[in-house]
Amino acid sequence: MRVFNFAAGPATMPLEVLEQAREELTDWSGSGMSVMEVSHRSKAFVAVAAAAETRLRRLLGVSDDYHVLFLQGGATGQFAAIPMNLAGPGDTVSYVNTGAWSKKAIGEARRFAEVEVVADEAASGYSTVPDATSLSPAPGSRYLHYTPNETIGGVEFGYVPDAGDVPLVADFSSTILSRPVDVDRFSLIYAGAQKNLGPAGICLVIVRKDLAGQARDGTPMVWDYAQMAAADSMLNTPPTLAWYLVGLVLEWVERQGGLPAMAARNRAKAEQLYTTIEESPFYSNPVAPAARSWMNVPFLLADSALEPTFLTEAREAGLVNLEGHRSVGGLRASIYNAMPLEGVTALTDFMKEFERRHG
Ligand code: PMP
């Protein structure tokens, strides 16, 4: 029996994708082999890799001015790869701090460049995003980095910062493909796959071609965007199974109607959940309304002592992985693309029923 899985990542996958993968597992494409047993250099796999790139470009509207890379090392690897590729030692780079993942990106960048934190939402307890008009990169910055969606805090930007002539770099790990985005506003977009793109083990990097090719001396070749682009992301053996699954997820997103359809669904899911939280003093969400995430919804019970009971009863009702991140506690529902509206309805029905019994 499938449960509704509200995990933050690795996260729920579209059931159709899992069923297709199961169907093809032992005899893929008439090869008599699994996709994970064929060479990454085989014609058949190269076609899978190319099709995933084409679909991604089509879905997000990524022009020929950008490389699309499928790398390893996760978004965490990119925390280092970004300054290595886009800044020299001692150069200034600007970062926006909106919470846990911004902080990790900042911490890693400090090992490679001079980090200026140009906005820090500490005063609000990381429940807000900076005002659009107040945000600008420090003078001489090689780039401005921000986190459009903070997976732990549940804080999401409703706008794209204006960095002027400074390249804009964004960690889209937990919001990629959740709604349309104007890729041309960005110089670099990156995202670990394990939320909206597929399974863990592969990381998407979309980088302007004119910014690749300036990696600092000593950059490992697997982190060098230009070298990876020249090798079609196959300088080392790529995670072929994950890449194939990302391709199936992208096909699934296209079948749903692409990003406008995903956005409409995601908005409806988020509104339903936030409304349930808002309607009752039994539940609360700490994030400023304008900065509430469509993907990750943290919430608290008025009586936190009831949390273990909530989690146990939810699990019994087939609603799993609702605990908040270990660093912050509380509860959290991650409602990525693959979470159907029925899953959110099952959750909000459960929440109302739980309140009736325990409120
Ligand atoms: N950035 C964000 C916004 C994330 O949510 C995560 C993972 N939860 C990461 C970075 C780190 O990703 P990875 O584990 O793929 O390195």
Side-chain angles (χ1 to χ4, degrees):
M1 195 201 91
R2 294 277 294 171
V3 293
F4 289 118
N5 175 10
F6 295 92
T12 191
M13 294 270 292
L15 182 57
E16 284 169 50
V17 167
L18 296 178
E19 286 173 340
Q20 184 178 349
R22 177 175 61 190
E23 186 64 28
E24 298 178 345
L25 188 65
T26 54
D27 180 7
W28 170 67
S29 222
S31 66
M33 293 176 279
S34 149
V35 64
M36 70 185 106
E37 296 168 300
V38 305
S39 167
H40 56 297
R41 309 249 178 243
S42 65
K43 231 171 141 180
F45 186 80
V46 167
V48 167
E53 176 176 337
T54 303
R55 285 214 161 79
L56 187 103
R57 284 184 181 274
R58 194 156 62 213
L59 276 166
L60 272 171
V62 182
S63 78
D64 267 354
D65 294 340
Y66 295 81
H67 294 302
V68 170
L69 308 175
F70 292 93
L71 305 181
Q72 288 173 270
T76 306
Q78 292 308 309
F79 292 165
I82 289 161
M84 285 176 142
N85 278 270
L86 305 188
D91 279 353
T92 299
V93 294
S94 291
Y95 278 72
V96 179
N97 185 4
T98 49
W101 289 109
S102 301
K103 283 183 198 164
K104 292 237 176 175
I106 290 166
E108 190 69 347
R110 286 210 161 107
R111 302 175 54 223
F112 300 97
E114 289 302 315
V115 173
E116 289 278 349
V117 177
V118 294
D120 191 319
E121 298 307 287
S124 72
Y126 297 105
S127 65
T128 48
V129 296
D131 187 56
T133 55
S134 71
L135 200 54
S136 58
S141 286
R142 303 305 301 260
Y143 61 84
L144 172 68
H145 178 284
Y146 82 114
T147 310
N149 186 69
E150 286 281 356
T151 320
I152 296 174
V155 167
E156 185 159 15
F157 279 74
Y159 68 93
V160 175
D162 181 0
D165 294 337
V166 173
L168 184 61
V169 174
D171 175 0
F172 268 80
S173 292
S174 48
T175 185
I176 190 97
L177 300 185
S178 66
R179 54 174 108 179
V181 53
D182 184 359
V183 172
D184 289 333
R185 304 269 314 268
F186 296 85
S187 288
L188 192 153
I189 284 173
Y190 65 106
Q194 64 272 19
K195 295 128 182 355
N196 263 345
L197 286 168
I202 194 160
C203 180
L204 170 70
V205 175
I206 302 169
V207 58
R208 280 189 63 102
K209 288 179 178 168
D210 58 357
L211 281 175
Q214 302 164 33
R216 67 176 63 191
D217 288 347
T219 300
M221 63 182 182
V222 294
W223 291 133
D224 182 326
Y225 299 140
Q227 288 199 54
M228 265 305 206
D232 292 327
S233 306
M234 294 193 193
L235 217 43
N236 65 314
T237 310
T240 49
L241 180 65
W243 202 335
Y244 151 83
L245 287 164
V246 167
L248 297 190
V249 170
L250 297 173
E251 250 182 277
W252 175 84
V253 174
E254 285 194 330
R255 284 201 302 279
Q256 308 309 302
L259 301 193
M262 291 320 317
R265 263 160 67 158
N266 288 329
R267 176 195 286 277
K269 282 152 49 185
E271 273 176 12
Q272 183 171 320
L273 185 46
Y274 285 116
T275 302
T276 300
I277 293 167
E278 283 299 298
E279 265 169 9
S280 157
F282 190 79
Y283 298 105
S284 64
N285 170 283
V287 179
R292 285 181 178 169
S293 168
W294 287 7
M295 295 283 104
N296 310 98
V297 183
F299 58 101
L300 299 168
L301 301 181
D303 176 5
S304 63
L306 278 172
E307 269 173 25
T309 314
F310 181 95
L311 291 167
T312 305
E313 292 189 8
R315 208 173 299 121
E316 284 162 8
L319 308 167
V320 306
N321 292 323
L322 283 161
E323 35 286 275
H325 190 267
R326 57 195 146 78
S327 61
V328 292
L331 303 162
R332 173 177 54 168
S334 293
I335 49 175
Y336 299 119
N337 284 351
M339 174 58 67
L341 180 62
E342 301 81 74
V344 174
T345 301
L347 174 60
T348 52
D349 286 352
F350 169 80
M351 288 167 70
K352 288 173 193 164
E353 170 63 14
F354 186 83
E355 178 182 359
R356 202 182 54 72
R357 283 186 288 108
H358 296 279

